[in-house]
Amino acid sequence: SAFAIASFIISSLTGNFYGTGGGNDRGPGGLGDLGRWGIGRGPIESVYPAPNATDIPINTRIIVTFKEQIKSDTICNDTSEDGKCDNEAMKNVEICEIDDTGNCVDDGEDYGKTAFAGSVVRETSDKRTFVFVASKYLGALNENTKFKVTLSEGIRTVANPDNSVFSMLSGNQYAWGFTTNGKLDLDPPEVKDLSGVYPYPDGEGDDYAAGAPTPTTFTVSVENELEAESDALVGNFVKGEDTSASLSSTGTYTGSDSGNLEISINSSDGKIMAKWPGDVEFRDSGLFQDQEKSFSANGLTITISAQASRGNSWTANLQAENNGDRLQVKKSGTAIKTLVYGQDIDVSADMETVKENIVDAIIAGLPSDFKAGGDSLTFTTKTVGTASKAYAFVWLKGDGTPSGDVFFSMSSAGSNGDINQTVSGRQDPFRNSIFQINFNEAIDPTAVEDNLTILQGLTTVSNYTMEVANQYRTIELRGNIECGVNSCGDRIYCWPVVSGSAAPTPYSVEIIAAKLAGSGDARCASWGGSDSGDGRCKKTVGGKTVFYPVADGSDGIIDLSGNSLNGSFDTYEENGETVGSAQGQSGSGNGTSGRSAYDLNAGMQCNVDCSNNSARITSYGSSEPESGSGFGDSFKWSFLLSPKIDMQAPLVKTISPVGDQRITDSRQIIEVL
């Protein structure tokens, strides 16, 4: 409610409720706050560059990710056969430099509204993320320039094509701004430091031993006396003091309560009064009038002889019919057997004998489902594995309500056979693990889908789920087999493993570097490069041959400046700075390195034995382009996947600071471990 009130106040002051639009082209916080209200609360999930970001290279690409699927032909002039934006001209999108008032500069200037009309759009297959490749650099060299991107009301969702995706935003549009730094980004992306992947590289699998499947075992516990099945009974009527007249009854007692029936003739008014078991008050049965009288109630007809007098009384004990406590055996929720105490189960005054009778009755009544356990008070299902957990036992009273007097405890639930795991080297990750690749900078999400391969042994895995997350710096990969529900009620997905095997399953993941732009590209000469003889553009820096890192297209992993992946971590020094050296796609042909993919598992070095589960990897195999040896820039690693599934919820072990601890150092790190 506080947030809603604050939003209302801000909207009243600025004329904007959700974000940009309206008359001044600004966000609710003013010129430097473009786009603040659109992310999170509106239809936008994320954008790049981030709103109000600075120090952005002039050759950057622009990204927007929506929360819903977008109609492609409302964000680009879609003419492709696959019905998606794939280098089609952008539509309903405006890129421009802004002046000090936050408005676009005039069209006649270098970076006015029409200057980027030739920009193109690419999209991911889920129709939620769109990458805009500007038709020219975003600003001049060596100059800081403020830009604004505006997404207009013409953009529609697949689910609701008749309304603007920004219908809830002020002005039916969304805009955000950022500042470029006047520099070109020619530093290729890399996998982040030495722990940028999960699962970690590992070639030594754990040992597994599959245990035998077990049945479900039940134990009987009788806490109190049981009520046996019995018929209704009427005892002999006992005459009261000074009563000589006889009283007789016929019929069967149908009442639900057991106890004394008390009948009397009122001394003052001569009315017959009867109090039945469970009644609070006497019942008026009319005048006796000193003659034979009969009346009926609760299935009985009571007759009093004429010799009775006022003040006479009679008492008899009534026993209501008892259906008896009963044990109901269920399978998958359906009763398959009902055992009645006193009928199917022998009645005995000895409680220990009663317990044995119960077990004997179950075994005798269900020979195909159960067998005796280790002693007379336990028995087990003949079915083994988790299927045996379909059986359940419920004790009921005669009226069908649950009875708390007798218990059947499930002493052990059946299992399909636990897999005993002995760690060898690093512990094998669970088969429901999410694979991750983390980069040192944002990458182009549209260049990922077709340039990543997952192998189970030698078999390519397909239909997995892939997401580019963490502001486009992380690739997350989730398995394709639904395999359970976690503690939050969400579905768990697993990777396929070798069927029927208790051994770990080998996996490898490879991402492909892109082919480099050729020496004929105009940018090669501007960079100071020349033909390398294999289609690439090269130059010598500090005695080292380096290649122009910008990709020819999107046939490999690239960053948001179009630089191809530096999968082998090669570097060179230029103007006192360390810069990544991209060699291009591994393999042969123009624009490629002629080398095999960089293997993260090869040549690993650790602070201790790398097979130790607590080892910290300090370096991997090196690549030496100048010596003619080493790796190319496609990147891969391998590991072994456990057949086990992790169903344990994460737990917080420690927090810092603790409780009401007073912190005096503003640099104090807050930790939740």
Side-chain angles (χ1 to χ4, degrees):
S1 60
F3 182 77
I5 293 170
S7 300
F8 174 76
I9 293 172
I10 292 172
S11 67
S12 299
L13 294 174
T14 65
N16 293 301
F17 187 72
Y18 274 101
T20 64
N24 61 5
D25 284 341
R26 302 183 187 179
L31 175 61
D33 203 20
L34 291 171
R36 179 162 64 96
W37 288 100
I39 294 180
R41 195 174 180 195
I44 304 292
E45 183 172 294
S46 59
V47 297
Y48 183 91
N52 309 315
T54 59
D55 199 30
I56 302 299
I58 61 176
N59 58 335
T60 191
R61 300 178 183 191
I62 297 167
I63 310 179
V64 57
T65 297
F66 294 89
K67 295 177 181 176
E68 298 182 68
Q69 290 187 331
I70 299 297
K71 283 184 90 277
S72 301
D73 59 3
T74 67
I75 206 165
C76 72
N77 291 318
D78 181 23
T79 58
S80 61
E81 294 182 0
D82 56 6
K84 62 183 291 189
C85 299
D86 188 9
N87 290 322
E88 318 298 318
M90 69 180 186
K91 179 180 179 182
N92 293 317
V93 180
E94 179 183 274
I95 304 171
C96 70
E97 179 186 358
I98 54 176
D99 57 25
D100 292 338
T101 66
N103 294 310
C104 290
V105 298
D106 294 337
D107 281 346
E109 299 189 29
D110 289 340
Y111 307 110
K113 293 181 180 181
T114 59
F116 298 94
S119 300
V120 297
V121 188
R122 297 175 184 158
E123 70 173 284
T124 55
S125 60
D126 63 1
K127 293 187 175 295
R128 293 177 52 238
T129 298
F130 297 83
V131 176
F132 306 100
V133 183
S135 56
K136 60 189 298 185
Y137 291 147
L138 295 170
L141 286 170
N142 303 316
E143 293 182 13
N144 293 340
T145 309
K146 294 180 180 179
F147 280 89
K148 180 176 70 173
V149 181
T150 303
L151 309 176
S152 71
E153 62 180 335
I155 299 174
R156 304 284 195 265
T157 65
V158 171
N160 191 7
D162 295 329
N163 295 318
S164 171
V165 68
F166 304 119
S167 60
M168 294 184 65
L169 301 187
S170 176
N172 289 334
Q173 63 181 17
Y174 173 78
W176 80 99
F178 55 89
T179 303
T180 57
N181 59 11
K183 300 177 182 178
L184 290 171
D185 173 16
L186 296 177
D187 193 356
E190 299 173 2
V191 174
K192 186 178 179 181
D193 59 49
L194 298 177
S195 59
V197 298
Y198 183 82
Y200 301 114
D202 186 17
E204 186 175 2
D206 296 346
D207 295 323
Y208 299 87
T214 60
T216 297
T217 301
F218 295 90
T219 300
V220 181
S221 175
V222 182
E223 304 296 328
N224 295 296
E225 295 288 343
L226 299 172
E227 292 189 17
E229 183 178 60
S230 61
D231 295 330
L233 298 174
V234 179
N236 295 325
F237 282 93
V238 178
K239 297 176 182 179
E241 186 177 356
D242 298 328
T243 299
S244 59
S246 62
L247 184 148
S248 61
S249 68
T250 58
T252 301
Y253 176 52
T254 59
S256 59
D257 296 300
S258 297
N260 288 334
L261 167 60
E262 300 175 0
I263 300 175
S264 64
I265 301 175
N266 191 280
S267 299
S268 60
D269 59 14
K271 290 184 177 180
I272 299 174
M273 308 297 289
K275 182 180 180 182
W276 297 84
D279 286 351
V280 177
E281 298 178 354
F282 281 89
R283 293 181 179 177
D284 181 357
S285 298
L287 293 175
F288 175 63
Q289 298 178 344
D290 298 324
Q291 61 183 2
E292 184 177 292
K293 175 69 175 180
S294 296
F295 64 93
S296 300
N298 293 324
L300 297 179
T301 298
I302 309 296
T303 301
I304 305 174
S305 68
Q307 291 78 22
S309 303
R310 296 189 183 198
N312 286 183
S313 64
W314 302 264
T315 302
N317 182 264
L318 303 183
Q319 179 66 49
E321 181 184 23
N322 189 350
N323 290 327
D325 288 347
R326 58 201 61 219
L327 170 64
Q328 196 170 71
V329 185
K330 294 184 175 182
K331 182 178 181 181
S332 301
T334 302
I336 59 174
K337 186 70 175 182
T338 300
L339 303 173
V340 180
Y341 184 59
Q343 177 179 311
D344 302 292
I345 302 173
D346 291 340
V347 178
S348 173
D350 181 358
M351 188 58 66
E352 291 303 316
T353 303
V354 168
K355 296 177 183 179
E356 294 178 1
N357 291 343
I358 292 172
V359 175
D360 291 342
I362 294 173
I363 295 174
L366 303 170
S368 63
D369 295 81
F370 297 97
K371 60 183 178 180
D375 58 64
S376 60
L377 299 182
T378 65
F379 57 94
T380 63
T381 58
K382 289 185 177 180
T383 302
V384 296
T386 55
S388 67
K389 292 192 291 186
Y391 290 96
F393 296 83
V394 181
W395 275 100
L396 303 174
K397 295 180 180 179
D399 60 3
T401 60
S403 170
D405 293 336
V406 184
F407 303 93
F408 267 86
S409 61
M410 183 184 291
S411 58
S412 66
S415 70
N416 292 328
D418 291 335
I419 299 175
N420 300 314
Q421 181 178 1
T422 302
V423 175
S424 178
R426 288 183 174 272
Q427 179 174 330
D428 295 341
F430 296 100
R431 61 177 299 208
N432 57 321
S433 298
I434 295 177
F435 303 165
Q436 275 194 351
I437 311 172
N438 295 283
F439 297 89
N440 64 341
E441 62 174 307
I443 60 170
D444 188 332
T446 64
V448 174
E449 295 173 325
D450 297 326
N451 298 305
L452 185 148
T453 302
I454 301 175
L455 293 176
Q456 175 204 345
L458 299 177
T459 303
T460 301
V461 180
S462 58
N463 299 322
Y464 54 84
T465 300
M466 178 170 60
E467 181 178 0
V468 180
N470 186 27
Q471 283 299 100
Y472 313 105
R473 290 171 176 258
T474 299
I475 299 174
E476 291 191 334
L477 307 164
R478 187 179 66 183
N480 55 10
I481 302 172
E482 188 175 337
C483 56
V485 177
N486 66 16
S487 56
C488 296
D490 298 324
R491 296 173 181 175
I492 294 175
Y493 292 88
C494 288
W495 296 96
V497 295
V498 178
S499 177
S501 172
T505 300
Y507 264 81
S508 63
V509 180
E510 181 174 354
I511 52 177
I512 308 301
K515 293 180 180 179
L516 299 183
S519 56
D521 191 297
R523 293 170 295 183
C524 176
S526 299
W527 181 64
S530 60
D531 186 20
S532 64
D534 55 14
R536 294 178 290 176
C537 174
K538 73 171 184 177
K539 71 178 180 179
T540 301
V541 179
K544 187 173 185 177
T545 300
V546 296
F547 302 96
Y548 186 60
V550 177
D552 186 42
S554 58
D555 56 353
I557 303 297
I558 54 178
D559 66 13
L560 292 179
S561 295
N563 298 307
S564 178
L565 174 70
N566 177 23
S568 57
F569 304 104
D570 292 331
T571 61
Y572 66 96
E573 299 293 325
E574 185 173 27
N575 299 325
E577 294 185 4
T578 300
V579 184
S581 176
Q583 303 174 51
Q585 193 173 98
S586 298
S588 59
N590 284 345
T592 67
S593 66
R595 299 168 180 263
S596 59
Y598 180 86
D599 188 347
L600 196 61
N601 292 62
M604 286 192 304
Q605 296 180 8
C606 303
N607 59 340
V608 294
D609 180 6
C610 287
S611 65
N612 189 305
N613 201 39
S614 62
R616 169 70 178 175
I617 299 174
T618 57
S619 68
Y620 297 97
S622 62
S623 179
E624 302 174 359
E626 294 304 308
S627 66
S629 63
F631 299 104
D633 277 340
S634 294
F635 175 95
K636 68 179 181 180
W637 86 102
S638 57
F639 49 91
L640 292 133
L641 206 60
S642 170
K644 300 179 70 173
I645 299 173
D646 179 13
M647 300 294 286
Q648 175 64 52
L651 303 174
V652 175
K653 297 177 64 177
T654 61
I655 61 173
S656 177
V658 178
D660 296 328
Q661 179 180 347
R662 182 179 295 274
I663 303 300
T664 58
D665 187 350
S666 61
R667 296 168 297 178
Q668 169 73 39
I669 296 176
I670 299 174
E671 293 182 324
V672 180
L673 302 175

